[in-house]
Structures are given as C-alpha cells and as structure tokens.
Amino acid sequence: QVQLVESGGGLVQAGGSLRLSCAASGRTFSSYTMGWFRRTPGKEREFLAATSWSGKSTYYADSVEGRFTISRDNAKNTVHLQMSSLKPEDTAVYYCAARIQYTGSLPWDYWGQGTQVTVSL
C-alpha cells in the first residue's frame, strides 16, 4: 500500500513558477514509478510526467516538456513537479500517482487527493 499526499498548489501569475510535492507513505516507495497528472472540469485526466523508480529516467507529455520537471527523493519518499512558464491553460487539479510499470498501459495503482493550481493572467 502507498498513500500519496500532494501539496504546493496555489495561485500564480502567468509566466510564473510553482513546485508541487507529493509525499508518499510506505516502505516500498522506491519500487514505484511515480507520475503527475492533471484534470480540468469537462476534460479527461491528462498525463504530464513520470519518473522511474531510481529517478534516472523520465518522460513527459508534449504539452509540458521543457516547462515542467519531475524529480524524486527516495530517501524522503517524495516526488516533485517543478513547473515554470505557467499559462492560464495549466489551471487544473494536479495529482500524483504510483505504479510498478514504468511505461505501458497498465493502470496507475495509487493516487493522491490532488492539489489545485490556478494560473491567472
């Protein structure tokens, strides 16, 4: 079992930066691929980024590559999403998630409750 709690959301102006954090419980955190997603009303949940169990491999959605950076600290059981050059269309609830598989179509096993990010003009 892994429990995930996001933090760091808030209100930021367009062009600004924000760093989201996800704290995980459980001794097996380092076994999991960690990912970030977001959801806006009326839209499907969107994958943003993922990092392998070691943190040495990452991949991103085209919509955020070059602006967002995912990282993890296995000693602290945390994963971060550094967001820069934020746009109003980045406004969403952001979720972290965990699964064993690094890439592929298997479902993500664990989800946090989400943190709201609002980007104003």
Coordinates of all heavy atoms in Angstrom, one line a residue, residues 4-6 21-23 34-37 79 94-98 108 110-114:
L4 N -0.6 8.7 -0.9 CA 0.1 9.9 -1.5 C -0.7 11.1 -1.1 O -1.9 11.2 -1.2 CB 0.0 9.7 -3.1 CG 0.7 8.4 -3.6 CD1 0.4 8.3 -5.1 CD2 2.1 8.4 -3.3
V5 N 0.1 12.1 -0.8 CA -0.5 13.4 -0.4 C 0.3 14.5 -1.1 O 1.5 14.8 -0.9 CB -0.4 13.7 1.1 CG1 -1.0 15.0 1.5 CG2 -1.1 12.5 1.9
E6 N -0.5 15.3 -2.0 CA 0.1 16.4 -2.7 C 0.1 17.7 -1.9 O -0.8 17.9 -1.1 CB -0.6 16.6 -4.1 CG -0.6 15.4 -5.0 CD -1.9 14.6 -4.8 OE1 -2.5 14.6 -3.8 OE2 -2.2 13.8 -5.8
S21 N 4.7 19.1 -4.6 CA 5.3 18.0 -3.9 C 4.3 16.9 -3.7 O 3.1 17.2 -3.5 CB 5.9 18.4 -2.6 OG 7.0 19.4 -2.8
C22 N 4.8 15.7 -3.6 CA 3.9 14.5 -3.3 C 4.7 13.7 -2.3 O 5.7 13.2 -2.6 CB 3.6 13.8 -4.5 SG 2.7 12.2 -4.3
A23 N 4.1 13.6 -1.1 CA 4.7 12.8 0.0 C 4.0 11.4 0.0 O 2.8 11.3 0.0 CB 4.5 13.5 1.3
M34 N 6.7 6.9 -10.4 CA 5.8 8.0 -9.9 C 5.5 8.9 -11.1 O 6.3 9.2 -12.0 CB 6.5 8.8 -8.9 CG 6.9 8.0 -7.6 SD 5.4 7.3 -6.8 CE 4.5 8.8 -6.4
G35 N 4.2 9.3 -11.1 CA 3.8 10.2 -12.2 C 2.9 11.4 -11.7 O 2.5 11.4 -10.5
W36 N 2.8 12.4 -12.5 CA 1.9 13.5 -12.3 C 0.9 13.6 -13.4 O 1.2 13.4 -14.6 CB 2.7 14.8 -12.2 CG 3.5 15.0 -11.0 CD1 4.8 14.7 -10.7 CD2 3.0 15.5 -9.7 NE1 5.1 15.0 -9.4 CE2 4.1 15.5 -8.8 CE3 1.7 16.0 -9.3 CZ2 3.9 16.0 -7.5 CZ3 1.6 16.5 -8.0 CH2 2.7 16.5 -7.1
F37 N -0.3 13.9 -13.0 CA -1.4 14.1 -13.9 C -2.2 15.4 -13.5 O -1.9 15.9 -12.5 CB -2.4 12.9 -13.8 CG -1.9 11.6 -14.2 CD1 -1.0 10.9 -13.4 CD2 -2.3 11.1 -15.4 CE1 -0.5 9.7 -13.8 CE2 -1.8 9.8 -15.8 CZ -0.9 9.1 -15.0
V79 N 8.2 13.1 -4.3 CA 8.3 13.3 -5.8 C 7.8 14.8 -6.0 O 6.9 15.2 -5.3 CB 7.6 12.3 -6.6 CG1 6.1 12.3 -6.4 CG2 7.9 12.5 -8.1
Y94 N -4.0 19.0 -9.8 CA -2.8 18.2 -10.1 C -2.7 17.0 -9.1 O -2.9 17.2 -7.9 CB -1.6 19.0 -10.0 CG -1.4 19.9 -11.2 CD1 -2.2 21.0 -11.4 CD2 -0.4 19.6 -12.2 CE1 -2.1 21.8 -12.5 CE2 -0.3 20.5 -13.3 CZ -1.1 21.5 -13.5 OH -1.0 22.3 -14.6
Y95 N -2.5 15.8 -9.7 CA -2.4 14.6 -8.9 C -1.1 13.9 -9.1 O -0.6 13.8 -10.2 CB -3.5 13.6 -9.4 CG -4.9 14.1 -9.3 CD1 -5.5 14.9 -10.3 CD2 -5.7 13.9 -8.1 CE1 -6.8 15.3 -10.2 CE2 -7.0 14.3 -8.0 CZ -7.6 15.1 -9.0 OH -8.8 15.5 -8.9
C96 N -0.6 13.3 -8.1 CA 0.5 12.3 -8.2 C -0.1 10.9 -8.2 O -1.1 10.7 -7.6 CB 1.6 12.5 -7.2 SG 1.2 12.2 -5.5
A97 N 0.7 10.0 -8.8 CA 0.2 8.6 -8.8 C 1.4 7.7 -8.8 O 2.5 8.1 -9.1 CB -0.6 8.4 -10.1
A98 N 1.2 6.4 -8.5 CA 2.2 5.4 -8.4 C 1.8 4.1 -9.1 O 0.6 3.7 -9.0 CB 2.6 5.2 -7.0
W108 N -2.5 3.0 -13.2 CA -1.8 3.5 -12.0 C -2.5 3.0 -10.8 O -3.7 3.1 -10.7 CB -1.7 5.0 -12.1 CG -0.8 5.5 -13.2 CD1 -1.1 5.5 -14.5 CD2 0.5 5.9 -13.1 NE1 -0.1 5.9 -15.3 CE2 1.0 6.2 -14.5 CE3 1.4 6.1 -12.1 CZ2 2.3 6.6 -14.7 CZ3 2.7 6.6 -12.4 CH2 3.1 6.8 -13.7
Y110 N -2.1 3.8 -7.4 CA -2.3 4.7 -6.2 C -2.4 6.1 -6.7 O -1.6 6.5 -7.5 CB -1.2 4.5 -5.2 CG -1.1 3.1 -4.7 CD1 0.0 2.3 -5.1 CD2 -2.0 2.5 -3.8 CE1 0.1 1.0 -4.7 CE2 -1.9 1.2 -3.4 CZ -0.8 0.4 -3.8 OH -0.7 -0.9 -3.4
W111 N -3.3 6.9 -6.0 CA -3.5 8.3 -6.4 C -3.6 9.1 -5.1 O -4.1 8.7 -4.1 CB -4.8 8.4 -7.2 CG -4.8 7.8 -8.5 CD1 -5.1 6.5 -8.8 CD2 -4.4 8.4 -9.7 NE1 -4.9 6.3 -10.2 CE2 -4.5 7.4 -10.7 CE3 -4.0 9.7 -10.1 CZ2 -4.2 7.7 -12.1 CZ3 -3.7 10.0 -11.4 CH2 -3.9 9.0 -12.4
G112 N -3.1 10.3 -5.3 CA -3.3 11.3 -4.2 C -4.7 12.0 -4.4 O -5.4 11.7 -5.3
Q113 N -4.9 12.9 -3.5 CA -6.2 13.6 -3.5 C -6.2 14.8 -4.4 O -7.3 15.3 -4.7 CB -6.6 14.0 -2.0 CG -6.0 15.3 -1.6 CD -4.5 15.3 -1.3 OE1 -3.9 14.2 -1.3 NE2 -3.9 16.4 -1.1
G114 N -5.1 15.3 -4.8 CA -5.0 16.4 -5.7 C -4.7 17.7 -5.0 O -5.0 17.9 -3.8

